[in-house]
Amino acid sequence: MSNDEAFHSQFTATDSIDGIWPFLQNIDWRDPWLAALVAFHVAITMTTLMTRNHTNFQIILFLILLLLVYFSESINEVAATNWMVFSRQQYFDSQGLFMSIVFSVPILINCMILVASWLYQSSQLMMSLKRAQLRQQAKNRQSDEATNDRTVVRPKHE
């Protein structure tokens, strides 16, 4: 058996998958590590929502989440070789379908929530800035009018 064949024999075939929902229904969600993964996703989502006013923390969280997605292929390979240590079934296929659906998609949804939050905050900031500019312009116009009213131009008598 060549190295390539040995590598691919560690993965589950994805040829028989009909859709995402049947795939998710075939997962044994009572597996402790899957419960921990779901708890992780819930905790990340709660953290994302609760820290909406802490932009610096959210930037760090965003970068960490993107790094997790970036390394999900490597995580999938390690999990495929060591699945017997922590799982009852081999979920880690060579295409990374399980890893993508159960690990990466929820993380990317959290990243989208972060970006949407930042866009909303930016729009609110731009609106308040524009309101302040308009108030300042109105104030300047009023002070200019008041100054012009006090300045009386007297016609010259010849």
Side-chain angles (χ1 to χ4, degrees):
M1 184 181 278
S2 71
N3 285 343
D4 194 39
E5 289 173 355
F7 176 73
H8 289 292
S9 68
Q10 298 171 0
F11 294 103
T12 303
T14 57
D15 301 342
S16 62
I17 296 174
D18 298 330
I20 292 175
W21 292 118
F23 177 73
L24 291 174
Q25 289 172 343
N26 287 331
I27 296 172
D28 181 15
W29 293 102
R30 294 171 300 182
D31 219 345
W33 77 274
L34 285 171
L37 182 64
V38 170
F40 167 76
H41 288 309
V42 169
I44 291 297
T45 303
M46 295 304 296
T47 302
T48 299
L49 296 174
M50 293 173 64
T51 62
R52 67 182 177 273
N53 295 324
H54 299 74
T55 308
N56 291 336
F57 178 80
Q58 282 193 335
I59 290 170
I60 294 168
L61 179 64
F62 183 76
L63 292 175
I64 290 170
L65 292 177
L66 288 182
L67 282 172
L68 284 173
V69 171
Y70 179 77
F71 288 112
S72 65
E73 184 179 358
S74 301
I75 296 169
N76 186 55
E77 290 174 10
V78 170
T81 57
N82 300 310
W83 70 272
M84 289 178 271
V85 175
F86 61 89
S87 181
R88 296 179 194 152
Q89 294 182 31
Q90 162 55 304
Y91 294 109
F92 307 98
D93 57 284
S94 60
Q95 304 296 317
L97 179 68
F98 176 80
M99 195 65 153
S100 295
I101 291 175
V102 178
F103 183 74
S104 296
V105 169
I107 289 175
L108 290 174
I109 290 171
N110 278 308
C111 289
M112 290 185 342
I113 291 169
L114 286 168
V115 170
S117 172
W118 295 338
L119 289 173
Y120 177 76
Q121 289 174 353
S122 296
S123 68
Q124 295 299 311
L125 184 62
M126 287 191 306
M127 287 187 339
S128 65
L129 177 65
K130 191 61 180 176
R131 283 187 192 119
Q133 285 176 339
L134 292 173
R135 274 191 233 111
Q136 187 64 39
Q137 286 175 353
K139 220 185 246 187
N140 289 344
R141 268 191 244 121
Q142 284 177 349
S143 72
D144 286 347
E145 289 172 3
T147 305
N148 289 340
D149 288 345
R150 279 188 249 149
T151 307
V152 177
V153 178
R154 296 188 180 154
K156 290 184 183 179
H157 295 289
E158 291 182 28

